[in-house]
């Protein structure tokens, strides 16, 4: 199966579809259209994930409406923030897990012609099968042409969208046309709550049932309603479907047969008469509500009301398209590139937006690492949000503020976790779900050995550092002191408290150490022979701790004199506490190799080298080297290697200049030559087992090897489009890698930083890019940036925002709203 692009604005009756398998589109193709030609069972799961539609409140995979979950199809629907814990008895032991719930499937719309067989996508009767995802409009269209065994030829065209304008509504519109025969088409339209969480192969042994049926009902002649409830979290889910039929503009009134199953199925079936040249249209409008929603009487009452009031699909579609037009005005990145990466860039932006653009404080949702497109990572919230916030904060800071609110509302749970572990402050979990408890699995199934092995990744305490980093960067980009007073400062200071309490002081060296943690590199959870013990002085954790403590001191100074009495009452800062943070921020220990390269952790330099060539020859892909070595009775703890290099993450979060300043404040030197050696050392020892690794390596190579940076960016952009990890995209897209790949073009290639109330720009375009243009929002000032190898144009929109200071390659300028300035670029 291939995917490529062709003409824009294809007719709904039969979108033109090309062929390719995840390659970039050919020259002249439309970078806003993702097309698939033919039906390929082997890659249907990936197609479903890539063609997911959502709006922040919910998302639905691009599955065929005629199919329930089986070995090929998986029509998953996910509601942001809806999780459920389950208990699994594995015989010799048991376990508890928390999953984002696969909600009732609203897609079912089956059909058969003239009393024949119900249609299936893999049927030999199919003459043509084409699917098109229009990224600009947020619309998925499918065209099917069928000739049955009786020689009857028919076309079926469907269009679906999950409304960006009405967050609780979705539409599936299906058009049936007989080409050379007359007779009935039987349509079955319903909602299926008899679903389970079975999208992830590695979770096959775990309990998968999360829903119990509460009621099925035919509300009106054209509307059915299903109510389900999660088994332990007690979330009520109501979903209703209004189905109407038309011949042109004329409503049809077929006799309807009501069907229901107390296990969670509700449907209607009816017959429509087809004649050549006279198509009929079936419009299915769906509404969903849960007991988590605000300002509703009840979930079923809300669904019934919304469906009664819902406009016709054409009007809903027009409003939906207007919302997407506004989003693309804010988020689109225009590329002129010889390598035609624009489709991947638009696809990745699209998935970030449809996962998060509808999030607000009332929704109470975080950043699920696999979006709303599958059950990978059980829908949990990780540190991947660190890679997502920049592209949001620089365009729609309100989204970043709402998402950071997810963390703030779980601050008390993080405080309780710190106390239970013997520390102060707030200890955020590595994986988060409903209420902010640690939901990282305690063990991991290794399919290579067929055995469970301990999963110690909960020791990645650095997730709190990432939260504090994102809070500070939001404040720097917006100057939003109100957020700092009411939420941001409390997050930063409680996280600082925790990491200060995590340190121990070495009086002899007057240095502070951190023991027993893991860094972003999940291949080391302890020294050789001590798995799970954690690491001592992980470079990433220690440097970030020093940085966060410094920002905590700065935050206290920023809020001095403001009306923050409720904040200070909650925090109860001790008189010597801030002084202690300042002292630790200057004396954290960082280990270095003998040649000046920062060591990933104490003892890393003493580890033996790994036989990369030999293992690549034996296994090919080494992304999950931990599972390979475990199956051999060995461990990644024993070697100089990494899944994703911890130290290079520092060069992703900070410019080389900023990192050098940070280390100098600690009393260490990092020369420009040592930076180069650092990148070389860790690049040669990374398996790139995480999709985020390509983003980081593209970033750190951008200023010394533009060609290599572009290659890594190509891998990051194609993480899901080409399924580079080998059949993982069917479990959900990788949201962090998608956002990070867009951010590469947005911030890295423009050299965009915000420091000391100044917008810094130091552009460095790869040779493959002729021009990049995008918009940002800095300190309430909309700004358009247009970048070529020779010139950077900065255009400020007219309005009442305050003037801003811009520094381009060392040249500083003060720009006012409405002003435009061209900056010539050297070299």
């Amino acid at each position: 199966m291939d995917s490529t692009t062709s003409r824009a604005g294809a007719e709904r009756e039969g979108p033109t579809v090309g062929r390719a398998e995840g390659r970039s589109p050919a020259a002249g193709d439309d970078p806003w259209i993702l097309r698939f030609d033919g039906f390929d069972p082997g890659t249907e799961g990936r197609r479903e994930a890539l063609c997911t539609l959502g709006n922040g409140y919910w998302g639905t995979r691009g599955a065929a409406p005629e199919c329930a979950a089986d070995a090929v199809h998986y029509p998953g629907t996910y509601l942001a923030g809806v999780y459920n814990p389950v208990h699994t008895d594995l015989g010799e032991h048991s376990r508890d897990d928390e999953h984002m719930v696969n909600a009732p499937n609203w897609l079912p719309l089956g059909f058969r012609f003239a009393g024949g067989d119900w249609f299936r996508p893999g049927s030999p009767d199919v003459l043509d099968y084409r699917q098109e995802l229009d990224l600009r409009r947020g619309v998925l269209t499918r065209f099917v042409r069928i000739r049955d065994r009786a020689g009857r030829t028919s076309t079926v065209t469907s269009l679906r969208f999950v409304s960006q304008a009405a967050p609780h509504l979705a539409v599936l519109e299906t058009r049936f046309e007989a080409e050379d025969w007359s007779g009935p088409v039987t349509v079955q339209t319903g909602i299926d709550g008899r679903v389970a969480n079975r999208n992830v192969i590695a979770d096959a042994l775990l309990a998968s049932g999360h829903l119990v049926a509460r009621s099925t009902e035919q509300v009106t002649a054209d509307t059915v309603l299903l109510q389900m409830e999660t088994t332990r979290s007690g979330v009520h889910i109501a979903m209703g479907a209004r189905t109407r039929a038309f011949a042109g503009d004329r409503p049809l009134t077929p006799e309807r047969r009501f069907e229901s199953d107390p296990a969670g199925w509700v449907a209607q079936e009816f017959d429509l008469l087809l004649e050549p040249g006279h198509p009929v249209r079936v419009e299915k409008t769906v509404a969903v509500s849960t007991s988590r929603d605000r300002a509703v009487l009840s979930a079923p009452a809300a669904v019934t009301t919304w469906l009664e009031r819902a406009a016709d699909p054409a009007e809903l579609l027009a409003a939906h398209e207007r919302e997407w037009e506004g989003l693309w005005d804010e988020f689109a990145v225009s590329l002129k590139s010889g390598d035609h990466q624009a489709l991947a860039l638009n696809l990745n932006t699209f998935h970030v937006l449809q996962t998060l653009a509808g999030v607000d404080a009332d929704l109470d949702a975080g950043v699920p690492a696999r979006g709303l497109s599958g059950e990978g990572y059980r829908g949990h919230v990780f540190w991947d949000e660190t890679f997502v916030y920049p592209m949001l904060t620089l365009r729609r800071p309100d989204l970043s503020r709402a998402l950071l609110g997810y963390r703030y509302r779980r601050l008390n749970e993080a405080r309780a976790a710190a106390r239970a572990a013997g520390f102060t402050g707030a200890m955020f979990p590595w994986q988060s779900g409903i209420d902010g408890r640690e939901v990282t699995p305690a063990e991991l199934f290794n399919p290579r050995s067929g055995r469970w092995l301990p999963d110690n990744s909960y020791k990645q305490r650095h997730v709190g550092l990432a939260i504090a980093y994102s809070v500070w960067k939001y404040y720097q980009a917006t100057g939003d002191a109100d957020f700092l007073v009411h939420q941001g400062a409390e997050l930063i200071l409680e996280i600082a408290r925790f990491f200060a309490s995590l340190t121990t002081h070495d009086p002899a060296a007057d240095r502070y150490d951190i023991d027993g943690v893991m860094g972003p590199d999940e291949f080391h959870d302890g020294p050789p022979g001590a798995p799970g013990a954690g690491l001592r002085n992980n470079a990433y954790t220690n440097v970030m701790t020093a940085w966060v403590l410094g920002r905590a001191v700065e935050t206290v100074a920023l809020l001095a004199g403001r009306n923050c009495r409720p904040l200070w009452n909650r925090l109860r800062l001790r008189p010597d506490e801030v002084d202690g943070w300042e002292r630790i921020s200057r004396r954290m220990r960082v280990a270095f190799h003998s040649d000046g390269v920062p060591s990933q952790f104490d003892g890393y330099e003493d580890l033996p080298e790994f036989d990369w060539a030999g293992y690549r020859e034996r296994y090919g892909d080494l992304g999950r080297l931990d599972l390979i070595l475990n199956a051999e009775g060995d461990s990644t703890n024993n070697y100089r290697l990494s899944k994703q290099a911890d130290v290079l993450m520092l060069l992703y979060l900070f410019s080389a200049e900023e990192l050098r300043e940070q280390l100098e404040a600690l009393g260490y030197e990092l020369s420009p030559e040592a930076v180069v050696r650092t990148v070389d050392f860790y690049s040669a020892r990374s398996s790139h087992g995480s999709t985020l690794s390509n983003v980081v390596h593209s970033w750190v190579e951008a200023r010394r090897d533009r060609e290599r940076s572009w290659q890594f960016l190509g891998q990051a952009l194609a993480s899901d489009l080409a399924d580079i990890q080998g059949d993982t995209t069917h479990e959900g897209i990788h949201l962090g890698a998608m956002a990070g790949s867009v951010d590469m073009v947005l911030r890295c290639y423009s050299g965009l930083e915000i420091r000391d109330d100044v917008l810094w720009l130091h552009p460095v375009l790869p040779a493959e890019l002729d021009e990049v243009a995008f918009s940002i929002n800095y300190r309430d000032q909309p700004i358009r940036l247009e970048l070529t190898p020779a010139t950077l144009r900065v255009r400020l929109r007219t309005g009442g925002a305050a003037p801003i200071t811009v520094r381009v390659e060392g040249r500083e300028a003060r720009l006012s709203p409405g002003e435009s300035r061209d900056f010539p670029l050297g070299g």
Side-chain angles (χ1 to χ4, degrees):
M1 177 199 66
D2 293 327
S3 66
T4 182
T5 62
S6 63
R7 63 185 177 86
E11 296 298 324
R12 293 182 191 174
E13 291 85 331
T16 302
V17 183
R19 298 187 65 84
E21 171 80 273
R23 299 192 304 265
S24 298
D29 286 338
D30 186 344
W32 294 98
I33 306 295
L34 177 66
R35 285 187 170 90
F36 297 91
D37 185 10
F39 177 73
D40 179 3
T43 57
E44 178 67 6
R46 186 205 329 177
R47 180 192 296 197
E48 290 175 350
L50 290 174
C51 291
T52 294
L53 297 178
N55 60 16
Y57 180 85
W58 58 326
T60 296
R61 290 163 61 86
E66 306 82 16
C67 301
D70 56 25
V72 174
H73 306 276
Y74 197 82
T77 288
Y78 309 99
L79 301 162
V82 175
Y83 295 88
N84 187 60
V86 289
H87 178 79
T88 304
D89 186 350
L90 295 167
E92 57 193 38
H93 69 293
S94 62
R95 56 183 290 169
D96 292 286
D97 297 281
E98 185 174 293
H99 299 252
M100 182 171 67
V101 175
N102 182 19
N105 177 21
W106 63 272
L107 291 174
L109 195 140
F111 62 89
R112 59 181 177 177
F113 295 114
D117 295 333
W118 293 100
F119 171 75
R120 299 282 294 179
S123 166
D125 298 342
V126 174
L127 302 176
D128 197 1
Y129 192 95
R130 296 176 266 161
Q131 192 163 296
E132 166 187 297
L133 174 60
D134 188 328
L135 302 172
R136 191 180 286 279
R137 298 166 61 221
V139 171
L140 181 63
T141 306
R142 189 188 66 170
F143 171 81
V144 184
R145 191 163 182 259
I146 305 163
R147 181 172 296 131
D148 63 21
R149 280 168 287 185
R152 294 181 288 252
T153 308
S154 313
T155 60
V156 181
T157 306
S158 64
L159 173 151
R160 79 174 74 157
F161 60 94
V162 176
S163 177
Q164 198 71 47
H168 297 269
L169 299 183
V171 170
L172 172 63
E173 179 183 296
T174 308
R175 182 174 183 252
F176 300 96
E177 183 169 6
E179 293 187 11
D180 51 16
W181 64 283
S182 297
V185 55
T186 301
V187 177
Q188 184 188 68
T189 171
I191 305 170
D192 191 358
R194 303 165 301 181
V195 297
N197 279 50
R198 297 194 181 98
N199 178 229
V200 177
I201 296 172
D203 290 345
L205 298 177
L206 304 181
S208 58
H210 292 272
L211 295 172
V212 291
R214 289 298 178 226
S215 68
T216 60
E217 181 182 357
Q218 180 164 287
V219 180
T220 66
D222 60 12
T223 301
V224 295
L225 178 69
L226 172 69
Q227 294 186 63
M228 307 291 291
E229 183 180 356
T230 58
T231 58
R232 290 179 62 187
S233 57
V235 178
H236 289 258
I237 301 171
M239 192 176 285
R242 184 190 73 188
T243 306
R244 296 172 176 173
F246 298 84
D249 293 330
R250 179 171 59 89
L252 301 176
T253 56
E255 180 181 344
R256 300 177 186 240
R257 301 176 288 279
F258 177 68
E259 301 178 2
S260 68
D261 180 337
W265 164 256
V266 62
Q268 291 181 329
E269 190 175 295
F270 52 83
D271 300 317
L272 301 172
L273 182 64
L274 295 182
E275 296 179 4
H278 296 280
V280 298
R281 185 176 74 257
V282 175
E283 297 178 347
K284 182 177 184 179
T285 304
V286 177
V288 65
S289 179
T290 80
S291 54
R292 300 175 77 247
D293 292 340
R294 307 287 288 272
V296 298
L297 175 63
S298 68
V303 164
T304 302
T305 300
W306 294 333
L307 285 176
E308 287 175 352
R309 298 173 179 173
D312 64 77
E315 189 175 337
L316 291 172
L317 177 60
H320 168 76
E321 291 175 335
R322 287 194 297 272
E323 289 296 318
W324 270 109
E325 182 180 9
L327 286 172
W328 284 118
D329 283 347
E330 293 172 315
F331 283 90
V333 178
S334 174
L335 289 184
K336 288 187 179 178
S337 159
D339 276 9
H340 308 289
Q341 300 284 4
L343 172 63
L345 192 73
N346 290 336
L347 177 68
N348 292 0
T349 305
F350 174 78
H351 274 285
V352 174
L353 292 178
Q354 70 172 0
T355 303
L356 302 173
V359 172
D360 57 22
D362 286 340
L363 182 57
D364 186 34
V367 182
R370 303 299 279 268
L372 299 173
S373 61
E375 294 155 25
Y377 307 148
R378 294 161 201 176
H380 293 166
V381 177
F382 289 71
W383 78 314
D384 299 55
E385 63 190 16
T386 309
F387 295 80
V388 176
Y389 281 125
M391 71 170 285
L392 299 180
T393 301
L394 286 169
R395 274 75 161 268
R396 284 280 303 279
D398 59 302
L399 295 178
S400 291
R401 179 168 178 161
L403 290 163
L404 287 167
Y406 168 88
R407 295 296 193 178
Y408 180 76
R409 286 185 290 276
R410 286 152 183 81
L411 182 56
N412 281 337
E413 189 64 36
R415 287 179 173 123
R419 287 195 303 271
F423 302 107
T424 60
M427 183 175 77
F428 280 90
W430 175 236
Q431 297 186 30
S432 181
I434 299 172
D435 59 5
R437 291 175 298 109
E438 179 65 79
V439 290
T440 303
E443 55 188 359
L444 170 70
F445 185 73
N446 187 349
R448 291 183 175 273
S449 66
R451 297 190 303 269
W452 294 90
L453 63 149
D455 184 349
N456 296 303
S457 58
Y458 70 91
K459 290 182 175 288
Q460 293 188 75
R461 307 299 184 201
H462 61 84
V463 64
L465 300 168
I467 294 168
Y469 177 89
S470 296
V471 168
W472 184 256
K473 291 298 181 180
Y474 167 84
Y475 170 70
Q476 286 288 296
T478 63
D480 185 355
D482 179 73
F483 170 73
L484 210 57
V485 169
H486 290 99
Q487 293 188 359
E490 199 168 352
L491 283 166
I492 291 174
L493 299 183
E494 287 288 49
I495 290 168
R497 265 183 171 157
F498 169 69
F499 280 92
S501 72
L502 201 60
T503 66
T504 56
H505 185 234
D506 175 5
D510 190 22
R511 287 286 181 186
Y512 290 86
D513 304 291
I514 293 179
D515 208 350
V517 301
M518 288 175 64
D521 169 30
E522 296 175 338
F523 281 180
H524 292 90
D525 63 1
L535 307 171
R536 183 173 177 80
N537 291 327
N538 171 255
Y540 177 82
T541 303
N542 284 21
V543 172
M544 287 299 295
T545 293
W547 184 86
V548 166
L549 290 171
R551 301 296 72 73
V553 173
E554 191 172 347
T555 298
V556 172
L558 275 169
L559 298 183
R562 289 183 178 270
N563 183 17
C564 302
R565 186 171 181 176
L567 171 65
W568 303 134
N569 284 343
R570 289 193 300 272
L571 288 172
R572 296 185 180 180
L573 289 176
R574 300 187 306 274
D576 62 341
E577 200 166 6
V578 178
D579 290 339
W581 295 344
E582 198 277 333
R583 184 168 60 255
I584 297 171
S585 75
R586 292 184 289 105
R587 300 302 297 168
M588 284 299 304
R589 193 193 308 271
V590 180
F592 285 81
H593 296 171
S594 56
D595 62 353
V597 169
S599 186
Q600 187 160 301
F601 52 82
D602 280 356
Y604 187 82
E605 187 178 20
D606 299 329
L607 297 175
E609 295 289 3
F610 182 69
D611 180 14
W612 291 98
Y615 270 77
R616 284 197 176 99
E617 185 176 350
R618 290 165 57 189
Y619 291 100
D621 179 28
L622 300 182
R624 290 312 305 263
L625 195 51
D626 54 337
L627 301 183
I628 292 172
L629 292 181
N630 173 264
E632 293 183 350
D634 202 350
S635 171
T636 47
N637 283 334
N638 298 331
Y639 303 98
R640 288 185 185 178
L641 44 74
S642 62
K643 181 180 179 182
Q644 50 191 356
D646 289 1
V647 175
L648 298 190
M649 264 301 300
L650 293 169
L651 287 166
Y652 172 77
L653 296 179
F654 305 113
S655 66
E657 179 185 352
E658 285 180 295
L659 181 57
R660 190 174 301 116
E661 291 173 356
Q662 182 65 41
L663 288 171
E664 285 176 354
L666 291 171
Y668 299 109
E669 180 182 354
L670 184 69
S671 67
E673 296 76 20
V675 171
V676 173
R677 288 196 299 273
T678 299
V679 174
D680 287 340
F681 179 87
Y682 289 106
S683 294
R685 292 163 178 82
S686 176
S687 75
H688 302 296
S690 165
T691 55
L692 299 173
S693 184
N694 287 311
V695 175
V696 172
H697 283 262
S698 179
W699 193 286
V700 300
E701 295 285 2
R703 298 197 176 275
R704 69 159 196 160
D705 190 335
R706 299 183 192 185
E707 181 178 355
R708 186 166 169 79
S709 172
W710 182 253
Q711 291 170 354
F712 275 119
L713 177 59
Q715 288 289 301
L717 284 167
S719 292
D720 290 305
L721 186 59
D723 204 1
I724 65 171
Q725 285 195 325
D727 199 28
T728 64
T729 299
H730 77 276
E731 298 176 355
I733 53 89
H734 297 78
L735 200 69
M738 283 187 160
S741 65
V742 178
D743 190 41
M744 269 297 304
V745 180
L746 179 73
R747 285 194 305 141
C748 185
Y749 289 156
S750 68
L752 192 158
E753 296 178 64
I754 299 170
R755 282 192 276 157
D756 306 321
D757 296 318
V758 175
L759 185 66
W760 297 57
L761 294 154
H762 181 36
V764 53
L765 281 185
E768 292 82 0
L769 285 180
D770 300 319
E771 184 178 327
V772 174
F774 55 85
S775 298
I776 65 170
N777 187 323
Y778 170 64
R779 301 289 175 94
D780 293 324
Q781 172 63 64
I783 304 170
R784 183 71 175 171
L785 299 175
E786 298 169 358
L787 177 62
T788 70
T791 307
L792 170 63
R793 174 171 294 172
V794 180
R795 291 194 288 127
L796 276 61
R797 189 180 300 172
T798 57
I804 64 169
T805 302
V806 178
R807 179 174 294 179
V808 180
E809 293 193 329
R811 300 187 300 276
E812 197 165 289
R814 188 78 169 164
L815 300 180
S816 298
E819 193 172 352
S820 177
R821 182 79 58 90
D822 287 352
F823 296 89
L825 304 177

